[in-house]
């Protein structure tokens, strides 16, 4: 599975505070501080213009002091009353239509989905994306019009003339809409899961007579199953004489007997939740010298780097925390270390296309030369290859060694070394391409975790919508929130523009290029244009500065997307969920404070 | 606002609405069963072939998706294209294909989309996989994508493009790939692509046959349904089915089915002749028949005779006049025989030749001067001849582009017994040498085969033409033959019947050393000098097929270094 | 609360006069309170209130009078904290008007009923009760009492969007009283109500005053203000034009009014002569008219008691009692 940014351990993510990176908490506090100071200065400035410096200072002081006092005197009963109101308001509205639309979508999904080689991946992607969008959309609609409607119909008068703190109004609404959204997500989640399970469930028929027991298997075995859902399986027999339909399109089936006919079971393990434990990757170049990254073979995407075959080039992963619990109990009674490896093959010449490229994998003790005997494998390009290392192994001198005692060092680390054997062929690796497979996770729980991610995203959107709607009218608040969401999804692009890395320059330059139909990378020409160029660039630098500041506040919605985990069949690490929940909480707190101040300083009865 | 005013206003509105209804009806009345023409807009729509039913199959999913974008279809399409590129970059193939499916729903009538993305999948995505079965899957995926595009646009005028592309994919991508053997096999067994028709195991599942079918569909679209060819060159377009047929014949020959191949060559020859009879539109608008070059030349000769008959002896008289205008040097140069001319002489001769050229126009002009009463005839003859000459030149050019003569000859000779026998020998020899089991047998077969080939080449000397592919095909056989010889540690014998082929067609410079050695031997035999120590041909040409041996760079015989 | 007042502010069993406003406790105080509505660019648009100085004492019914646009509603909103003053300040119950915590003891009945239309009466009162942090049992009891008080028992489960104007005004009053406030602000309490509703509202206001609450109301219906208020302030174009007790303001100094019962025609002549003798001017001596309100109410009461066609009397009785 593709992991472009490695996941940091929780407390490191939260509390790190050094040159390379600031943790989430320091970042949050700093942002709050900066916003607070900026707002203070701005209000002082505006107030001075309107009322004169003394009065302005007095007002600002009072607002701040009141703010602190009121923020800490929140009553849960009031918050809950407002939340209940929000829920009742939503139920009276058209929330249920969203569910209806969703169910319709699912029913007609067949129009939009074609059969794929990896159906589980496609169905999960579709279902999770649809849920996420619909959930966001509904949450947005509910939350964004609520407060402005109150203002328009003046029902806010009867509320704000009660001893209700402005913070309670904001938090109450966020709470209320979140609850509605939660129920909505739950319903959609259940429907989605059932849909996927049902869609993946299929069977084949086998044309052929009963297998003569103990007789001449070869003659009577039917070759393949029927063509269902765009694929068929070849029938194989394993060593125990059991029949099974061979692995194709990401699953296999058992073949059993019933009433004298061969019956194909429903698919086996189509939905999985692998729990990987990752390691750190380093490379050796062809002379055996340690390097950080391997060779580039000219691919645009630099996620993987390559090692050359037939040389000393190697990819080495170091895994932590290997002990008894990491090993699995195997059928033959022993224990084994399960490793999964993804190899990306690059051939510089086709060689024999019928033979795959050969590689070799070994376990190694860190810091010493003790290695297992080389285990040869044929590289399956871009598919997950499962490898087993039993506890008792032999080393390069054919002496027996024990995995845990000899190969794992005192810190609990072990190294995995992979090399390519065929000359002029390359293997490509990234850090996430090799991992130790821990005990399987529950797919249902994994699915739920994906929904938790989505839930955090939704709550975030609600918080933004409510905060925006405290001072903006309905449609404007909607545009505001939608912009936030869009920028959040394209945050990476946004940051690249802000830092000047993205081709095409800032807003003004982009506009100029659009209008004059210039290329992204074309340079500006003409001596006479230097002044205008300078003006353009200066204005742009102001914008870019503002964008960089804004980027600190923008949430990265891409991070909340756990769809790919579920689609690829990987367990979402609890660490990631914790990080997302923390981020969500931080945003809700920050936005509530901002919303409080916005609402408080607003003249209700204009 | 009193009541009367309100009433008047309502009345005015009502009248205005009623009056507007009439032009509205004129404009946007829909076409129904009882009124097939409909209003003005409906007529324009059907005239331009713009309604969805005119463009292709109506697809409810597509219509739904388009509506669901709420007018932002262009934006959505842009985003999806960007995503598709992103997925291709990140090698996320299932997402890429599903994004393409979504795009197909949103812009089914944009032809370039189908062309580009099917090519993308078949050519770019397929090569990213290591296992050839995966590669074939994506090649086929791209072809199916193209088929989908054709279906969705079955009424659209650009459809010949897509059909032709499909023919190209099925033919070239499968038939000319490195993995041609495996791809052809997989294609023949591909039930998902062919379905029930043609049935399993039939010869019609051959990729070249299917390719030919698609090409013929494309031609039918242009001829019968009057679709436009777009920017495609006509001669390439109409030549394609026959070329596919010839590739089919070649392929069956290579697989050892000789009688089938011979029959296929016959079909190919017929098809090629029919192609020669077709009227092809030249880029200037002239219409040519590629197979009728000789007729055009004959016509020119006839017309020239007619012109000459108008004023007999005029031509030779003009020639004399011209000759008299030549300078002494030029005359001398022209009179000299070729091998005695110096460079200067050549220049002079060239200039002289130019001056001596008497064109038809000159004759016509002279007739006009001398015999004005024949002006009309001469003029018309002159312009006819000029026209025909232009036709001839264009025909020749197009024939060159299509390599018409070579393929005509090839189709013919491949049907001959000698050719079939020669190919049979080659095939058997390859089989024998394939497992390295019986090199002696293989060698014998090869040598018999090459003797037969010599016969064929002598019978059809134009096969040796550099423009044709026979020479290259023979080189492949010769290379294999040399491998067999190498295993027995023998060089290619001097009396090898196809040395001239080696000399002309050794594009990979595999045989430079051998040729040189042989030349030396031949020369020395004729001049009786001791040949120097013959270097081992094996050591001379390395296994490394990328470049020739570095030793040749410092070759003392002064042969030019490798380019 | 079906009272039968005859002439407002007169002795009614001697009780009304007994409760004098407590002069010492100032419930609402404004000092140079001004409000200027500015547009987006900060330019002045409207001077809604110009330097208002006001004191309202505990236990009195205070009326803000004035034509439309005089600043009455602005003042109420400033007192509630719905608007921020441009200059000056407003002190309510000892705290600045913009403080939220003062709202604990305040009730507000807005001009239109700004209540959530999708809730029913019980839910509305429950909601607002929760906003006051009133515990559940107390809340339930109060909701019951208030609904009965405003006579909405029959409609307590119906959504507010189905209420008539009178009903919404009543539920509005109920929500204003949910927290048993000390200060009640009413914005045009009787506008748009029919005579019965108006009478009821006035009776409630008086009843509330009798319970010791302070009431501030603003209205442009002069007759209702006259009936109910103890002190009034008259505003015009944002400025305070007149302030004082109603009875004092309305007193006509140099005219004496005598009302007597059972006077014969001779008696009336004698009185005329007495007045002449003392160089007084007889302005009028005739049968006084009762108010139309009383006629109306008596007819309605009659009609409810005895349905059917009413026998039209030629003249009303002198006493005005039925």
């Amino acid at each position: 599975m593709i992991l472009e940014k490695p996941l940091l351990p929780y407390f490191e993510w939260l509390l790190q505070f050094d040159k390379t990176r600031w943790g989430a908490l320091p970042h949050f506090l700093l942002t709050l501080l900066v916003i607070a100071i900026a707002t203070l200065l701005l209000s002082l400035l505006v107030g001075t213009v309107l009322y004169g410096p003394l009065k302005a200072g007095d007002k600002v002081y009072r607002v701040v002091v009141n703010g602190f006092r009121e923020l800490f005197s929140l009553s849960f009963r009031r918050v809950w009353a407002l939340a209940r109101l929000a829920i009742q308001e939503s139920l009276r509205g058209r929330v249920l239509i969203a569910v209806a639309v969703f169910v319709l979508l699912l029913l007609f999904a067949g129009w939009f989905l074609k059969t794929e080689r990896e159906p589980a991946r496609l169905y999960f992607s579709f279902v999770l994306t649809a849920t996420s969008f619909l959930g966001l959309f509904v949450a947005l609609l509910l939350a964004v019009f609520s407060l402005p409607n109150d203002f328009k119909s003046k029902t806010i008068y009867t509320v704000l003339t009660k001893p209700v703190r402005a913070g309670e109004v904001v938090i109450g609404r966020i709470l209320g809409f979140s609850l509605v959204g939660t129920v909505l997500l739950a319903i959609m989640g259940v429907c989605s899961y059932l849909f996927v399970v049902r869609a993946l469930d299929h069977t084949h028929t086998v044309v052929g007579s009963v297998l003569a027991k103990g007789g001449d298997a070869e003659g009577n075995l039917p070759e393949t199953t029927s063509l269902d859902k765009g694929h068929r399986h070849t029938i194989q027999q394993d060593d125990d004489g059991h029949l099974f339909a061979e692995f194709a399109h990401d699953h296999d089936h058992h073949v059993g007997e019933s009433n004298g006919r061969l019956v194909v079971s429903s698919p086996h393990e189509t939905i999985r939740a692998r729990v990987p434990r990752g390691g750190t990757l380093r490379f050796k170049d062809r002379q055996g010298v340690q390097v950080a990254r391997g060779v580039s073979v000219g691919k645009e995407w630099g996620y993987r780097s390559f090692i050359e075959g037939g040389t000393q080039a190697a990819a080495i992963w170091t895994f932590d925390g290997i002990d008894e619990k990491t090993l699995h109990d195997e059928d033959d009674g022993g224990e084994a270390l399960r490793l999964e490896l993804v190899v990306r093959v690059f051939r510089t010449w086709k060689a024999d296309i019928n033979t795959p490229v050969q590689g070799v994998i070994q376990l190694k003790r860190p810091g010493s030369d003790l290695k297992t005997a080389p285990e040869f494998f044929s590289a399956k390009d871009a598919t997950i290859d499962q490898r087993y290392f039993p506890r008792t192994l032999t080393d390069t001198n054919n002496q027996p060694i024990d995995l845990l005692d000899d190969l794992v060092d005192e810190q609990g680390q072990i190294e995995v070394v992979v090399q390519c054997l065929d000359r002029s062929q390359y293997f490509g690796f990234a850090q996430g391409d090799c991992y130790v497979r821990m005990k399987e996770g529950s797919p249902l729980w994994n699915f739920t975790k994906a929904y938790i991610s989505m839930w955090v995203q939704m709550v975030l959107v609600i918080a933004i919508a409510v905060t925006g709607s405290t001072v903006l009218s309905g449609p404007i608040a909607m545009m505001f929130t939608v912009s936030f969401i869009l920028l959040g999804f394209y945050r990476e692009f946004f940051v690249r523009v802000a830092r000047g890395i993205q081709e095409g320059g800032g807003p003004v330059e982009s506009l100029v290029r659009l209008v004059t139909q210039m290329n992204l990378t074309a340079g500006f020409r003409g001596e006479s244009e230097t002044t205008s160029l300078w003006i353009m660039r200066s204005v742009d630098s102001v914008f870019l500065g503002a964008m960089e500041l804004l980027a600190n506040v923008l949430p990265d919605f891409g991070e909340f997307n756990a769809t790919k985990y579920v689609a690829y069949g990987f367990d979402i690490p609890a660490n990631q969920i914790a990080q997302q929940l923390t981020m969500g909480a931080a945003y809700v707190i920050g936005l509530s404070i901002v919303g409080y101040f916005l609402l408080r300083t607003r003249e209700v009865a204009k | 606002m009193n009541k009367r005013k309100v009433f008047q206003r309502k009345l005015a509105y009502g009248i205005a609405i009623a009056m507007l209804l009439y032009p509205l009806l004129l404009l946007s009345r829909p076409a129904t069963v009882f009124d097939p023409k409909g209003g003005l807009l409906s007529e324009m729509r059907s005239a331009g072939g713009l309604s969805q039913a005119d463009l292709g199959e109506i697809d409810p999913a597509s219509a739904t998706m388009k509506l669901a974008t709420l007018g932002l279809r262009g934006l959505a399409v842009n985003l999806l294209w960007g995503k598709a590129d992103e997925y291709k970059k990140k090698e996320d193939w299932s997402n890429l294909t599903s994004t393409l499916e979504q795009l197909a729903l949103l812009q089914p009538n944009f032809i370039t989309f189908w062309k580009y993305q099917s090519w993308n999948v078949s050519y770019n995505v397929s090569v990213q996989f290591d296992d050839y079965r995966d590669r074939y899957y994506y090649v086929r995926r791209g072809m199916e994508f193209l088929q989908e595009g054709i279906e969705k646009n079955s009424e659209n005028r650009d459809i010949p493009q897509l059909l032709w592309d499909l023919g190209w994919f099925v033919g070239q991508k499968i038939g000319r790939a490195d993995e041609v053997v495996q791809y052809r096999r997989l294609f023949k067994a591909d039930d998902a692509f062919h379905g029930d028709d043609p049935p399993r195991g039939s010869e019609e599942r051959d990729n070249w046959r299917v390719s030919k079918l698609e090409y013929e569909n494309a031609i039918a679209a242009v001829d019968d349904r009057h679709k436009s060819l777009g920017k495609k060159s006509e001669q390439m377009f109409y030549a394609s089915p026959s070329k596919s047929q010839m590739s089919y014949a070649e392929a069956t020959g290579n697989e050892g089915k000789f009688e089938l191949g011979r029959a296929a060559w016959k079909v190919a020859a017929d098809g090629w002749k029919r192609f020669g009879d077709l009227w092809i539109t030249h880029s200037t608008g002239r219409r040519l028949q590629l197979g009728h070059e000789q007729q055009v030349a004959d016509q020119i000769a006839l017309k020239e005779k007619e012109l000459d008959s108008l004023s007999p002896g005029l031509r030779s008289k003009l020639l004399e006049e011209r000759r008299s205008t030549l300078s002494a040097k030029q005359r001398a140069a022209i009179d000299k025989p070729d091998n005695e001319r110096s460079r200067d002489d050549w220049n002079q001769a060239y200039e002289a030749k130019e001056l001596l050229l008497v064109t038809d126009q000159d004759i016509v002009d002279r007739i006009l001067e001398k015999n004005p009463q024949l002006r009309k005839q001469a003029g018309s003859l002159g312009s006819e001849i000029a026209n025909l000459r232009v036709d001839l030149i264009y025909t020749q050019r197009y024939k060159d582009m299509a390599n018409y003569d070579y393929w005509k000859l090839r189709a013919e000779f491949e049907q001959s017994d000698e050719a079939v026998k020669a190919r049979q020998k080659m095939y058997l020899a390859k089989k024998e040498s394939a497992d390295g089991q019986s090199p002696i047998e293989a060698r014998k077969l090869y040598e018999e085969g090459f003797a037969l080939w010599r016969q064929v080449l002598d019978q059809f000397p134009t096969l040796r033409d550099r423009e044709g592919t026979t020479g290259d095909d023979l080189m492949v056989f010769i290379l294999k033959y040399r491998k067999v010889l190498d295993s027995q540690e023998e060089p290619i014998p001097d009396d090898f019947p196809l040395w001239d082929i080696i000399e002309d067609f050794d594009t990979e410079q595999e045989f430079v050393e051998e040729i040189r050695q042989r030349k030396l031997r031949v020369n020395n035999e004729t001049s009786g000098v001791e040949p120097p120590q013959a270097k081992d041909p094996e050591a001379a040409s390395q296994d490394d097929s990328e470049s020739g041996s570095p030793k040749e760079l410092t070759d003392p015989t002064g042969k030019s270094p490798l380019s | 609360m079906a009272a039968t007042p005859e002439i407002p502010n007169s002795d009614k069993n001697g009780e009304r006069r007994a409760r004098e406003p407590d002069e010492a406790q100032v419930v609402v105080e404004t000092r140079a309170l001004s409000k200027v509505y500015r547009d987006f660019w900060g330019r002045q648009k409207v001077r809604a209130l110009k330097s208002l100085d006001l004191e309202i004492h505990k236990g009195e019914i205070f009326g803000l009078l004035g034509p439309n646009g005089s600043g009455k509603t602005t003042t109420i909103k400033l007192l509630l904290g719905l608007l921020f003053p441009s200059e000056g300040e407003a002190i309510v119950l000892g705290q600045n008007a913009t403080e939220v915590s003062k709202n604990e003891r305040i009730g507000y009945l807005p001009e239109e009923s700004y209540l959530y239309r999708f809730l029913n009466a019980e839910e509305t009162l429950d909601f607002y009760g929760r906003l006051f942090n009133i515990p559940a049992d107390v809340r339930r009891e109060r909701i019951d009492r208030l609904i009965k008080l405003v006579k909405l028992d029959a409609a307590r489960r119906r959504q507010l969007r189905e209420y008539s104007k009178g009903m919404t005004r009543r539920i509005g009053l109920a929500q204003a009283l949910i927290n048993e406030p000390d200060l009640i602000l009413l914005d045009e309490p009787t506008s748009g109500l029919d005579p019965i509703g108006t009478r009821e509202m006035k009776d409630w206001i008086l009843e509330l005053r009798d319970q010791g609450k302070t009431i501030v109301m603003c209205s442009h219906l002069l007759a209702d203000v006259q009936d109910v208020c103890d002190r009034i302030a008259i505003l015009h174009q944002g400025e305070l034009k007149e302030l004082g007790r109603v009875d004092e303001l309305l007193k006509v100094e140099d005219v004496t009014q005598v009302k007597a019962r059972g006077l014969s025609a001779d008696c009336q002549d004698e009185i005329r002569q007495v007045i002449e003798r003392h160089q007084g001017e007889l302005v009028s001596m005739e049968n006084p008219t009762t108010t139309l309100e009383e006629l109306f109410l008596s007819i309605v009461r009659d009609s409810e008691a005895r349905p059917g066609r009413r026998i039209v009397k030629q003249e009303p009785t002198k006493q005005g009692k039925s």
Side-chain angles (χ1 to χ4, degrees), chain A residues 31-41:
Chain A
T31 316
L32 270 186
L33 195 65
V34 167
I35 292 180
I37 294 180
T39 330
L40 258 178
L41 289 176

Side-chain angles (χ1 to χ4, degrees), chain A residues 452-570:
Chain A
I452 294 180
S453 276
M454 247 188 279
W455 178 83
V456 175
Q457 197 177 25
M458 184 190 72
V459 170
L460 199 54
V461 167
I462 290 175
I464 296 172
V466 170
T467 308
S469 65
T470 51
V471 284
L472 302 166
S473 75
I476 310 284
M478 175 126 185
M479 270 174 50
F480 170 75
T481 316
V482 168
S483 320
F484 232 96
I485 296 177
L486 274 180
L487 285 178
F489 273 115
Y490 287 95
R491 184 173 187 272
E492 203 182 299
F493 174 75
F494 190 72
V495 167
R496 284 168 61 92
V497 173
R499 297 209 181 129
I501 310 175
Q502 182 71 28
E503 284 127 9
V508 179
E509 190 178 335
S510 304
L511 184 63
V512 170
R513 281 177 191 270
L514 262 177
V515 169
T516 54
Q517 298 200 330
M518 272 175 78
N519 203 340
L520 266 184
T521 47
F524 285 97
R525 268 180 239 271
E527 295 303 320
S528 58
E529 300 175 33
T530 341
T531 349
S532 36
L533 266 185
W534 182 85
I535 295 177
M536 183 181 79
R537 294 240 163 85
S538 337
V539 173
D540 259 347
S541 56
V542 172
F543 275 121
L544 293 184
M547 280 164 82
E548 176 114 35
L549 287 176
L550 184 59
N552 282 320
V553 186
L554 277 180
D556 189 353
F557 276 114
E559 276 179 29
F560 290 110
N561 192 2
T563 312
K564 59 180 184 198
Y565 280 93
V566 176
Y568 282 77
F570 280 83

Side-chain angles (χ1 to χ4, degrees), chain A residues 4 111-112 114 116-118 121-122 125 232 299-301 304 344-345 347 350 353-354 356-357 379 381 490 568, chain B residues 60-61 64-65 79 89-92 94 97-98 101 105 128-130 132 134-135 137-138 141 148 178-179 182:
Chain A
E4 292 197 64
W111 272 0
F112 304 100
K114 311 267 166 108
E116 285 292 326
R117 300 180 94 193
E118 287 146 336
R121 191 183 291 188
L122 181 68
S125 282
R232 58 171 85 239
K299 285 190 195 280
E300 191 188 344
W301 187 39
R304 294 199 163 94
R344 185 81 178 94
V345 175
R347 297 193 188 216
K350 279 198 176 158
I353 56 175
N354 283 310
V357 179
D381 186 33
Y490 287 95
Y568 282 77
Chain B
T64 315
M65 272 277 265
L79 284 174
K89 185 174 105 165
K90 299 207 174 161
E91 303 179 353
D92 190 350
S94 39
T97 41
S98 71
E101 300 288 347
L105 285 176
Q128 298 280 344
F129 292 87
D130 197 45
Y132 72 85
D134 291 334
R135 289 204 288 272
Y137 177 79
Y138 277 96
R141 237 6 239 285
E148 200 186 320
D178 288 338
E179 308 87 340
Q182 285 85 357

Side-chain angles (χ1 to χ4, degrees), chain A residues 80-93 95 172-173 175-180, chain C residues 118:
Chain A
W80 177 237
L82 287 159
R84 270 187 80 214
L85 184 75
I87 294 174
Q88 282 169 317
E89 189 182 343
S90 315
L91 289 181
R92 270 18 171 241
V95 170
R173 277 202 157 66
L175 182 63
F177 294 129
S178 304
L179 285 173
V180 173
Chain C
F118 53 87

